[in-house]
Amino acid sequence: MTDAPGQTDETRLSLPSPDGTTDPWQWLEDVTGDEPLAWVRERNAEAESELDAEPITDELQDQLVAILDATDKIPHVGVHGDFVYNLWTDAEHVRGLWRRTTMASYRTDAPEWEVLLDLDELSEAEGEKWVWHGSQSLRPVEGEPYARVLVTLSRGGADADVTREFDLTTRSFVPEGEGGFVRPEAKGDAVWMDADTLLVATDFGPDTMTTSGYPRQVRRWRRGTPLAEAELLFETAAEDMVASPWHDDSVDHERWGVVQMHAFYNTTTHVLDPTSGELTALDLPRDIEVDIHRGLLVLRPRSDWAYAGRTHLAGSVAVVDLADFLAGDAEPTTLFEPTDKAFLDDVTLTRNCVVLAVLEDVVQRLEVHTRDDAGQWRRTELGLDALGLGRLDSVHVRPYDADADDRVWLDASGFTTPLGLLLADVGDAEFATEEIKTTPERFDATGLVVSQHFATSEDGTRVPYFQVGPEAPDAGPAPTMLYGYGGFEISLPPGYQPVMGKAWLERGGTYVLANIRGGGEYGPAWHQAALKQHRHRAYEDFAAVARDLARRGVTDAAHLATQGGSNGGLLTGNMLTQYPELFGAVVIQVPLLDMKRYSHLLAGASWMAEYGDPDTEDWDFIQHFSPYHLLREDVTYPPSFVLTSTRDDRVHPGHARKFAAALRSLGADVRSWENIEGGHGGAATNEQRARMSALMYAFAWRVVGS
């Protein structure tokens, strides 16, 4: 049953039935329909009228735009041949400049950039709102410069995008009429095979997309051939999640293949024989994460893996030569095994090294594993103190040129430590490190203290969280923002957040980052502990942190706000509906909320490995964490703010619309705001990001700031 378009939420109580059989707000799922968009505009106007009346809003927006458009931020680069490439945005170039310079120039305080593509000019010329989605260079023959690039652009920031061939020599796109590669708008991907051939996964027409809305097919597309006639190499089942091409373009080790993703954490990797077109599936359990680089197969099992006479533990890292593995003559070497304290967070590959980021109670260290000429692996451990960082800071490791040498970029920061860019040679025994770029402080951190604490969840589990705020135990409850995610094995380490710091910390607020189950902070088991019927554990963990903050006297319910987006929006939606007494304000961004219909909306079917299938008996447990279906007439809900994007083609904006509408029908204190652009990130330009953040923080300060 669906209410007719045009019925307003003020006319009567309108809630979905708890069993999910009726949905009075389903008409709001029509993303671009006239009636739903009229409803969106009305809600936007109400929210803006309310929050723009707050003196803080305009001030915050100006401050946040200045931070996001700062000309002294670090221009992060990728290396291709003799140049480093960067996508730059500022006040004059809101969509961005794709540009390049030499490494020698980049090291200076004022690099000389060569502009390759102005996205603002392109958007104006083509009548589009292009958002940069990345580039992929064709590795040239030895001695030749890089000349051709696949550039990927999105309309308004959606996941669906287009790929167009770009000529670095002429600094222009290669026209389709002149044989240039153009992949039309769709969710998908393309990789180079050679100068005249791509491997492509995209929407090839009827029955070529999965039920999750991603490509089923990978084809070999030769220049001059219509895309629809490209040679089919692989097709996965419609019920699988996606099939996509992969390419390791390492010199002397070049490989191609297909990743067949049956579901999250359930993948088969295929290696392509480019001559015969035959694909060989790697004989591995489907829950092993696979990386292939320079002929090295890097394996990360999510469950214990018995192979070649030994067991590789879940959360470990093993390596073996790909050729040996394909030949059946493989004895993987274990580089890392988790302990009761240490767990893998990330892997970075260079020419000769495997760099591991390891977490111990969410405190980071690095391990560098190097193979000598005899094939033996040597381990070097590196603490953050060796990089001049504090114990509660963190680094993100990226290869400089993974095919050429063992240098890595280190993006180093902490909650109160501004971002710095280091270049380190991990192949050097002395681990030589050079500071390349620094950024100034974006907010006043005077008097702020960073600390780590542990809450006890309902089942006795110890849950870590970070706290940043003034050290004033006798000042009474502090306005506090509690943030979490708790899904998809994603870890939340410390890091510099200039927008949050300026809008919240500098004004006297306290910020808390919760490392709840569902994330990856303690390896695969930490994630798996909150899957499907165990989802409630993530919410119990988060509630335990909220209670611990009150127990410690940091804050109380009246001064505690919570914020989360995407899966984190599902988290905060559950805080609103299951733990309303713990919070004074709830911010729900680009969220999943209707867990009865989520698998039928956009990419929702791809997440059933995380949440379960609501069209089966799984609904028996899913309904207990579906916020849309947990709303009740006899509950007083804390003030809430629901934000989404019309152009979000990953998590359907209908989740946010319907939830806000249902809350309004209850007479709850709720406002909603939907940005027309932005995709799943919620905003497509710095101005939009600043606007969204200013509204959100103005709401939080008004509700819990006094």
Side-chain angles (χ1 to χ4, degrees):
M1 183 177 108
T2 302
D3 281 351
Q7 176 178 321
T8 63
D9 45 355
E10 290 84 7
T11 58
R12 63 176 174 83
L13 176 66
S14 296
L15 296 179
S17 60
D19 62 3
T21 57
T22 62
D23 184 355
W25 300 107
Q26 190 171 330
W27 61 275
L28 286 170
E29 293 177 6
D30 183 2
V31 176
T32 58
D34 291 341
E35 292 286 348
L37 282 181
W39 184 93
V40 167
R41 285 190 289 270
E42 290 176 7
R43 303 291 82 75
N44 283 1
E46 290 169 354
E48 290 175 346
S49 176
E50 171 194 344
L51 296 174
D52 282 336
E54 297 294 319
I56 192 177
T57 305
D58 286 344
E59 180 183 354
L60 277 177
Q61 187 164 341
D62 290 343
Q63 291 175 339
L64 300 186
V65 166
I67 287 174
L68 295 170
D69 282 339
T71 58
D72 56 357
K73 60 190 175 188
I74 294 176
H76 286 92
V77 295
V79 179
H80 300 287
D82 297 329
F83 294 93
V84 296
Y85 293 75
N86 164 256
L87 191 281
W88 178 261
T89 59
D90 59 24
E92 284 73 43
H93 309 96
V94 298
R95 306 251 162 217
L97 295 175
W98 184 43
R99 58 189 190 169
R100 69 181 181 182
T101 190
T102 64
M103 186 59 191
S105 180
Y106 181 69
R107 292 177 186 272
T108 68
D109 292 335
E112 297 181 1
W113 294 97
E114 174 191 6
V115 175
L116 302 170
L117 181 64
D118 186 324
L119 267 68
D120 294 273
E121 289 183 357
L122 181 70
S123 295
E124 184 176 356
E126 298 185 349
E128 299 287 357
K129 295 181 177 180
W130 289 121
V131 175
W132 183 259
H133 265 199
S135 65
Q136 180 195 152
S137 298
L138 171 66
R139 183 180 289 278
V141 297
E142 187 174 357
E144 295 293 323
Y146 280 78
R148 292 298 174 95
V149 180
L150 297 178
V151 168
T152 303
L153 303 171
S154 160
R155 290 183 174 89
D159 283 359
D161 48 28
V162 302
T163 300
R164 298 160 68 173
E165 185 178 6
F166 190 88
D167 188 330
L168 291 172
T169 305
T170 63
R171 295 192 295 279
S172 63
F173 289 108
V174 182
E176 190 173 12
E178 297 177 14
F181 287 115
V182 177
R183 180 181 66 86
E185 185 178 37
K187 293 183 180 181
D189 196 10
V191 301
W192 290 104
M193 288 199 74
D194 57 44
D196 294 310
T197 314
L198 303 181
L199 288 183
V200 181
T202 193
D203 186 347
F204 293 103
D207 301 322
T208 66
M209 302 293 277
T210 67
T211 54
S212 297
Y214 294 103
R216 290 180 61 193
Q217 297 181 348
V218 175
R219 300 192 186 193
R220 178 157 40 188
W221 186 18
R222 303 184 191 277
R223 191 181 299 278
T225 302
L227 179 59
E229 298 176 15
E231 173 193 1
L232 179 64
L233 289 180
F234 183 84
E235 184 174 47
T236 196
E239 294 74 24
D240 284 343
M241 180 177 168
V242 64
S244 58
W246 61 264
H247 180 207
D248 174 13
D249 69 347
S250 305
V251 175
D252 300 327
H253 297 278
E254 194 165 23
R255 291 274 190 175
W256 297 266
V258 172
V259 173
Q260 179 186 13
M261 200 167 183
H262 309 282
F264 273 100
Y265 336 116
N266 187 341
T267 300
T268 301
T269 300
H270 304 260
V271 178
L272 175 69
D273 182 326
T275 302
S276 67
E278 293 183 1
L279 287 160
T280 300
L282 296 182
D283 186 14
L284 292 165
R286 288 183 175 183
D287 67 346
I288 290 185
E289 290 187 72
V290 175
D291 288 303
I292 298 173
H293 175 61
R294 292 186 55 78
L296 186 69
L297 185 61
V298 183
L299 305 171
R300 289 177 276 170
R302 286 195 179 93
S303 58
D304 291 353
W305 172 44
Y307 183 80
R310 64 162 300 174
T311 298
H312 301 270
L313 298 180
S316 63
V317 178
V319 295
V320 64
D321 286 330
L322 176 61
D324 292 343
F325 189 84
L326 289 171
D329 183 23
E331 294 185 11
T333 299
T334 298
L335 300 185
F336 173 83
E337 283 190 339
T339 68
D340 58 344
K341 293 183 177 180
F343 298 87
L344 180 71
D345 184 44
D346 199 13
V347 176
T348 303
L349 305 175
T350 70
R351 181 177 177 86
N352 302 296
C353 302
V354 178
V355 184
L356 308 180
V358 177
L359 297 178
E360 296 189 25
D361 280 337
V362 208
V363 176
Q364 191 184 60
R365 62 175 169 83
L366 302 180
E367 290 184 6
V368 180
H369 296 260
T370 308
R371 184 161 58 171
D372 61 26
D373 294 339
Q376 299 300 307
W377 290 89
R378 169 177 54 86
R379 186 188 80 151
T380 303
E381 189 170 309
L382 184 70
L384 297 189
D385 55 344
L387 302 174
L389 297 173
R391 176 178 173 272
L392 298 185
D393 290 338
S394 66
V395 295
H396 175 59
V397 186
R398 299 176 288 120
Y400 177 83
D401 185 339
D403 193 47
D405 58 36
D406 294 314
R407 288 180 291 175
V408 295
W409 300 108
L410 299 175
D411 300 309
S413 73
F415 288 116
T416 58
T417 305
L419 183 65
L421 179 63
L422 309 176
L423 188 61
D425 187 348
V426 295
D428 181 76
E430 301 299 322
F431 201 79
T433 303
E434 176 187 5
E435 185 177 83
I436 302 297
K437 302 282 182 184
T438 60
T439 52
E441 291 186 348
R442 302 299 186 194
F443 61 91
D444 185 0
T446 303
L448 295 180
V449 176
V450 180
S451 55
Q452 187 184 37
H453 307 271
F454 294 84
T456 301
S457 194
E458 192 169 310
D459 63 358
T461 299
R462 197 165 164 261
V463 181
Y465 64 93
F466 294 101
Q467 178 180 318
V468 192
E471 188 174 26
D474 57 348
T480 300
M481 181 70 75
L482 173 58
Y483 182 87
Y485 187 77
F488 297 93
E489 207 171 329
I490 294 173
S491 302
L492 298 180
Y496 200 63
Q497 300 181 50
V499 168
M500 181 277 296
K502 191 71 176 179
W504 194 253
L505 292 175
E506 186 176 276
R507 293 175 175 271
T510 293
Y511 178 76
V512 176
L513 181 66
N515 302 113
I516 61 177
R517 280 176 287 185
E521 289 86 352
Y522 290 94
W526 192 250
H527 168 237
Q528 293 161 9
L531 289 180
K532 297 185 177 181
Q533 68 268 31
H534 304 302
R535 199 80 202 163
H536 61 91
R537 292 173 177 165
Y539 310 137
E540 291 166 0
D541 289 358
F542 203 69
V545 173
R547 293 190 183 101
D548 201 57
L549 291 169
R551 180 191 64 81
R552 293 178 44 240
V554 175
T555 191
D556 58 17
H559 294 85
L560 179 59
T562 184
Q563 175 198 3
S566 190
N567 174 73
L570 176 62
L571 167 69
T572 54
N574 273 284
M575 292 303 104
L576 181 80
T577 53
Q578 296 196 51
Y579 302 94
E581 74 283 358
L582 296 182
F583 300 97
V586 178
V587 177
I588 303 171
Q589 296 175 282
V590 289
L592 287 93
L593 294 166
D594 178 355
M595 300 306 289
K596 180 62 177 176
R597 284 188 46 74
Y598 87 93
S599 58
H600 298 276
L601 300 174
L602 297 176
S606 65
W607 308 318
M608 289 193 290
E610 186 85 10
Y611 306 120
D613 183 350
D615 294 334
T616 69
E617 63 275 8
D618 288 357
W619 177 245
D620 291 345
F621 61 79
I622 293 173
Q623 63 182 304
H624 296 294
F625 61 83
S626 180
Y628 187 49
H629 298 92
L630 293 177
L631 291 171
R632 298 291 182 267
E633 187 177 3
D634 56 350
V635 178
T636 300
Y637 294 108
S640 59
F641 194 6
V642 185
L643 302 100
T644 189
S645 164
T646 309
R647 289 291 292 170
D648 188 346
D649 58 351
R650 191 182 312 174
V651 176
H652 198 290
H655 287 276
R657 294 174 179 180
K658 296 194 302 180
F659 191 69
L663 276 170
R664 286 172 60 84
S665 81
L666 288 170
D669 184 0
V670 60
R671 69 279 304 132
S672 62
W673 188 78
E674 182 171 315
N675 192 32
I676 302 303
E677 284 193 88
H680 192 49
T685 67
N686 289 340
E687 184 178 4
Q688 292 174 14
R689 293 182 187 94
R691 175 63 169 162
M692 179 176 64
S693 296
L695 291 172
M696 187 271 288
Y697 283 110
F699 161 72
W701 275 117
R702 183 173 66 78
V703 178
V704 303
S706 59

Short mmCIF file of all heavy atoms in Angstrom, two decimals, residues 390-429:
data_model
loop_
_atom_site.label_atom_id
_atom_site.label_comp_id
_atom_site.label_asym_id
_atom_site.label_seq_id
_atom_site.Cartn_x
_atom_site.Cartn_y
_atom_site.Cartn_z
N GLY A 390 53.32 11.32 17.14
CA GLY A 390 52.92 10.88 18.46
C GLY A 390 52.28 9.50 18.44
O GLY A 390 51.88 9.00 17.38
N ARG A 391 52.14 8.91 19.59
CA ARG A 391 51.60 7.56 19.71
C ARG A 391 50.19 7.46 19.14
O ARG A 391 49.84 6.43 18.54
CB ARG A 391 51.60 7.14 21.19
CG ARG A 391 50.97 5.77 21.45
CD ARG A 391 51.04 5.42 22.93
NE ARG A 391 50.30 4.19 23.19
CZ ARG A 391 49.00 4.16 23.46
NH1 ARG A 391 48.31 5.29 23.48
NH2 ARG A 391 48.40 3.00 23.69
N LEU A 392 49.39 8.49 19.27
CA LEU A 392 48.00 8.45 18.80
C LEU A 392 47.82 9.17 17.47
O LEU A 392 46.71 9.57 17.13
CB LEU A 392 47.06 9.03 19.87
CG LEU A 392 47.04 8.27 21.20
CD1 LEU A 392 45.98 8.86 22.13
CD2 LEU A 392 46.79 6.79 21.00
N ASP A 393 48.91 9.33 16.71
CA ASP A 393 48.82 9.79 15.33
C ASP A 393 48.73 8.58 14.41
O ASP A 393 48.69 7.43 14.87
CB ASP A 393 50.04 10.64 14.97
CG ASP A 393 50.06 11.99 15.69
OD1 ASP A 393 48.97 12.44 16.11
OD2 ASP A 393 51.14 12.57 15.84
N SER A 394 48.71 8.80 13.10
CA SER A 394 48.66 7.68 12.16
C SER A 394 49.23 8.13 10.82
O SER A 394 49.39 9.32 10.55
CB SER A 394 47.22 7.18 11.97
OG SER A 394 46.43 8.15 11.33
N VAL A 395 49.57 7.13 9.99
CA VAL A 395 50.05 7.42 8.64
C VAL A 395 49.27 6.57 7.64
O VAL A 395 48.84 5.46 7.95
CB VAL A 395 51.57 7.13 8.47
CG1 VAL A 395 52.39 8.05 9.34
CG2 VAL A 395 51.89 5.67 8.76
N HIS A 396 49.09 7.13 6.46
CA HIS A 396 48.54 6.38 5.33
C HIS A 396 49.67 6.20 4.33
O HIS A 396 50.31 7.18 3.92
CB HIS A 396 47.37 7.12 4.70
CG HIS A 396 46.83 6.45 3.47
ND1 HIS A 396 46.34 5.16 3.48
CD2 HIS A 396 46.74 6.88 2.19
CE1 HIS A 396 45.95 4.83 2.26
NE2 HIS A 396 46.20 5.85 1.45
N VAL A 397 49.96 4.96 3.95
CA VAL A 397 51.11 4.64 3.11
C VAL A 397 50.63 4.43 1.68
O VAL A 397 49.69 3.68 1.42
CB VAL A 397 51.82 3.37 3.62
CG1 VAL A 397 53.10 3.12 2.83
CG2 VAL A 397 52.14 3.49 5.11
N ARG A 398 51.30 5.09 0.71
CA ARG A 398 51.01 4.93 -0.71
C ARG A 398 52.31 4.73 -1.47
O ARG A 398 53.31 5.37 -1.15
CB ARG A 398 50.29 6.17 -1.26
CG ARG A 398 48.97 6.50 -0.63
CD ARG A 398 48.38 7.79 -1.18
NE ARG A 398 49.09 8.97 -0.71
CZ ARG A 398 49.70 9.86 -1.49
NH1 ARG A 398 49.71 9.68 -2.82
NH2 ARG A 398 50.31 10.92 -0.99
N PRO A 399 52.35 3.89 -2.48
CA PRO A 399 53.59 3.73 -3.25
C PRO A 399 53.88 4.98 -4.07
O PRO A 399 52.96 5.64 -4.57
CB PRO A 399 53.30 2.53 -4.15
CG PRO A 399 51.81 2.52 -4.29
CD PRO A 399 51.27 3.02 -2.98
N TYR A 400 55.16 5.29 -4.21
CA TYR A 400 55.57 6.40 -5.08
C TYR A 400 55.46 5.96 -6.53
O TYR A 400 54.68 6.50 -7.30
CB TYR A 400 57.00 6.82 -4.73
CG TYR A 400 57.56 7.91 -5.61
CD1 TYR A 400 57.26 9.24 -5.35
CD2 TYR A 400 58.38 7.61 -6.68
CE1 TYR A 400 57.76 10.25 -6.15
CE2 TYR A 400 58.89 8.61 -7.50
CZ TYR A 400 58.59 9.93 -7.24
OH TYR A 400 59.09 10.92 -8.04
N ASP A 401 56.22 4.98 -6.93
CA ASP A 401 56.09 4.31 -8.22
C ASP A 401 56.40 2.85 -7.95
O ASP A 401 57.56 2.45 -7.90
CB ASP A 401 57.04 4.90 -9.25
CG ASP A 401 56.85 4.29 -10.65
OD1 ASP A 401 56.29 3.19 -10.74
OD2 ASP A 401 57.27 4.92 -11.64
N ALA A 402 55.37 2.06 -7.74
CA ALA A 402 55.53 0.69 -7.25
C ALA A 402 56.30 -0.20 -8.19
O ALA A 402 56.80 -1.26 -7.79
CB ALA A 402 54.16 0.08 -6.96
N ASP A 403 56.43 0.20 -9.43
CA ASP A 403 57.18 -0.61 -10.38
C ASP A 403 58.64 -0.21 -10.46
O ASP A 403 59.49 -0.99 -10.87
CB ASP A 403 56.56 -0.50 -11.78
CG ASP A 403 57.09 -1.55 -12.73
OD1 ASP A 403 57.14 -2.74 -12.34
OD2 ASP A 403 57.46 -1.19 -13.86
N ALA A 404 58.95 1.03 -10.04
CA ALA A 404 60.30 1.57 -10.25
C ALA A 404 61.21 1.42 -9.04
O ALA A 404 62.41 1.15 -9.19
CB ALA A 404 60.20 3.04 -10.64
N ASP A 405 60.67 1.63 -7.83
CA ASP A 405 61.55 1.63 -6.65
C ASP A 405 60.74 1.34 -5.40
O ASP A 405 59.57 0.96 -5.47
CB ASP A 405 62.31 2.95 -6.54
CG ASP A 405 61.39 4.17 -6.44
OD1 ASP A 405 60.31 4.06 -5.82
OD2 ASP A 405 61.74 5.23 -7.00
N ASP A 406 61.38 1.54 -4.25
CA ASP A 406 60.75 1.20 -2.97
C ASP A 406 60.40 2.44 -2.15
O ASP A 406 60.25 2.36 -0.93
CB ASP A 406 61.68 0.29 -2.16
CG ASP A 406 61.87 -1.06 -2.82
OD1 ASP A 406 60.87 -1.64 -3.25
OD2 ASP A 406 63.03 -1.51 -2.94
N ARG A 407 60.24 3.56 -2.80
CA ARG A 407 59.82 4.75 -2.09
C ARG A 407 58.30 4.73 -1.87
O ARG A 407 57.55 4.21 -2.69
CB ARG A 407 60.22 6.00 -2.85
CG ARG A 407 61.72 6.29 -2.81
CD ARG A 407 62.07 7.55 -3.59
NE ARG A 407 61.89 7.36 -5.02
CZ ARG A 407 62.04 8.33 -5.91
NH1 ARG A 407 62.34 9.56 -5.51
NH2 ARG A 407 61.88 8.08 -7.20
N VAL A 408 57.89 5.32 -0.77
CA VAL A 408 56.46 5.43 -0.46
C VAL A 408 56.16 6.84 0.03
O VAL A 408 57.01 7.50 0.64
CB VAL A 408 56.00 4.41 0.61
CG1 VAL A 408 56.12 2.99 0.11
CG2 VAL A 408 56.78 4.59 1.92
N TRP A 409 54.96 7.29 -0.29
CA TRP A 409 54.43 8.50 0.32
C TRP A 409 53.85 8.13 1.68
O TRP A 409 53.18 7.10 1.84
CB TRP A 409 53.30 9.10 -0.51
CG TRP A 409 53.64 9.51 -1.91
CD1 TRP A 409 53.24 8.89 -3.06
CD2 TRP A 409 54.39 10.66 -2.32
NE1 TRP A 409 53.70 9.57 -4.16
CE2 TRP A 409 54.42 10.66 -3.74
CE3 TRP A 409 55.05 11.68 -1.63
CZ2 TRP A 409 55.07 11.64 -4.47
CZ3 TRP A 409 55.70 12.66 -2.35
CH2 TRP A 409 55.71 12.64 -3.75
N LEU A 410 54.08 8.97 2.67
CA LEU A 410 53.48 8.80 3.99
C LEU A 410 52.66 10.05 4.30
O LEU A 410 53.20 11.14 4.48
CB LEU A 410 54.56 8.62 5.06
CG LEU A 410 55.50 7.40 4.91
CD1 LEU A 410 56.58 7.45 5.98
CD2 LEU A 410 54.71 6.11 5.02
N ASP A 411 51.35 9.89 4.31
CA ASP A 411 50.45 10.97 4.73
C ASP A 411 50.29 10.85 6.24
O ASP A 411 49.61 9.94 6.73
CB ASP A 411 49.10 10.84 4.04
CG ASP A 411 49.21 10.91 2.53
OD1 ASP A 411 49.84 11.86 2.04
OD2 ASP A 411 48.68 10.01 1.84
N ALA A 412 50.93 11.74 6.97
CA ALA A 412 51.01 11.63 8.42
C ALA A 412 50.16 12.71 9.08
O ALA A 412 50.21 13.88 8.68
CB ALA A 412 52.46 11.76 8.88
N SER A 413 49.36 12.32 10.07
CA SER A 413 48.56 13.30 10.79
C SER A 413 48.02 12.68 12.07
O SER A 413 48.17 11.49 12.33
CB SER A 413 47.39 13.80 9.92
OG SER A 413 46.38 12.82 9.79
N GLY A 414 47.37 13.51 12.85
CA GLY A 414 46.68 13.08 14.06
C GLY A 414 45.52 14.02 14.31
O GLY A 414 45.31 14.99 13.57
N PHE A 415 44.77 13.78 15.36
CA PHE A 415 43.61 14.62 15.63
C PHE A 415 43.99 16.10 15.75
O PHE A 415 43.24 16.98 15.34
CB PHE A 415 42.91 14.16 16.90
CG PHE A 415 42.18 12.87 16.77
CD1 PHE A 415 42.56 11.75 17.50
CD2 PHE A 415 41.09 12.75 15.92
CE1 PHE A 415 41.87 10.55 17.39
CE2 PHE A 415 40.39 11.56 15.79
CZ PHE A 415 40.80 10.46 16.53
N THR A 416 45.17 16.38 16.33
CA THR A 416 45.63 17.76 16.46
C THR A 416 46.94 17.99 15.73
O THR A 416 47.57 19.04 15.91
CB THR A 416 45.79 18.13 17.96
OG1 THR A 416 46.73 17.23 18.57
CG2 THR A 416 44.46 18.04 18.69
N THR A 417 47.35 17.06 14.90
CA THR A 417 48.59 17.16 14.13
C THR A 417 48.24 17.37 12.67
O THR A 417 47.72 16.46 12.02
CB THR A 417 49.44 15.88 14.27
OG1 THR A 417 49.67 15.61 15.65
CG2 THR A 417 50.77 16.03 13.53
N PRO A 418 48.50 18.57 12.12
CA PRO A 418 48.13 18.82 10.71
C PRO A 418 48.83 17.86 9.77
O PRO A 418 49.91 17.32 10.06
CB PRO A 418 48.60 20.26 10.49
CG PRO A 418 48.67 20.87 11.84
CD PRO A 418 49.07 19.76 12.76
N LEU A 419 48.22 17.66 8.63
CA LEU A 419 48.72 16.72 7.64
C LEU A 419 50.10 17.12 7.14
O LEU A 419 50.35 18.27 6.80
CB LEU A 419 47.75 16.64 6.46
CG LEU A 419 48.09 15.64 5.36
CD1 LEU A 419 48.01 14.22 5.88
CD2 LEU A 419 47.14 15.83 4.17
N GLY A 420 51.00 16.15 7.11
CA GLY A 420 52.31 16.32 6.52
C GLY A 420 52.56 15.21 5.52
O GLY A 420 52.06 14.09 5.67
N LEU A 421 53.32 15.51 4.48
CA LEU A 421 53.63 14.54 3.43
C LEU A 421 55.11 14.22 3.47
O LEU A 421 55.96 15.10 3.28
CB LEU A 421 53.23 15.09 2.06
CG LEU A 421 53.52 14.18 0.87
CD1 LEU A 421 52.71 12.88 0.96
CD2 LEU A 421 53.21 14.89 -0.45
N LEU A 422 55.43 12.96 3.72
CA LEU A 422 56.80 12.48 3.77
C LEU A 422 57.04 11.54 2.60
O LEU A 422 56.12 10.87 2.12
CB LEU A 422 57.07 11.74 5.08
CG LEU A 422 56.69 12.44 6.39
CD1 LEU A 422 56.94 11.51 7.57
CD2 LEU A 422 57.45 13.73 6.55
N LEU A 423 58.30 11.47 2.17
CA LEU A 423 58.72 10.49 1.18
C LEU A 423 59.78 9.63 1.82
O LEU A 423 60.80 10.14 2.31
CB LEU A 423 59.27 11.19 -0.07
CG LEU A 423 59.57 10.30 -1.28
CD1 LEU A 423 58.32 9.59 -1.76
CD2 LEU A 423 60.18 11.13 -2.41
N ALA A 424 59.54 8.32 1.88
CA ALA A 424 60.45 7.42 2.57
C ALA A 424 60.87 6.28 1.64
O ALA A 424 60.06 5.81 0.84
CB ALA A 424 59.78 6.85 3.82
N ASP A 425 62.11 5.88 1.76
CA ASP A 425 62.62 4.73 1.01
C ASP A 425 62.62 3.52 1.93
O ASP A 425 63.51 3.34 2.75
CB ASP A 425 64.03 5.02 0.50
CG ASP A 425 64.55 3.94 -0.44
OD1 ASP A 425 63.90 2.86 -0.51
OD2 ASP A 425 65.58 4.15 -1.10
N VAL A 426 61.58 2.67 1.79
CA VAL A 426 61.46 1.53 2.69
C VAL A 426 62.42 0.40 2.32
O VAL A 426 62.59 -0.56 3.08
CB VAL A 426 60.01 0.99 2.73
CG1 VAL A 426 59.08 2.03 3.33
CG2 VAL A 426 59.54 0.58 1.34
N GLY A 427 63.05 0.50 1.15
CA GLY A 427 64.05 -0.49 0.77
C GLY A 427 65.41 -0.19 1.33
O GLY A 427 66.32 -1.02 1.28
N ASP A 428 65.58 1.00 1.89
CA ASP A 428 66.84 1.42 2.47
C ASP A 428 66.91 0.95 3.92
O ASP A 428 65.96 1.12 4.68
CB ASP A 428 66.95 2.95 2.40
CG ASP A 428 68.25 3.46 2.96
OD1 ASP A 428 69.28 3.33 2.28
OD2 ASP A 428 68.23 3.97 4.10
N ALA A 429 68.04 0.38 4.29
CA ALA A 429 68.18 -0.16 5.65
C ALA A 429 68.00 0.92 6.70
O ALA A 429 67.58 0.64 7.83
CB ALA A 429 69.53 -0.84 5.79
#
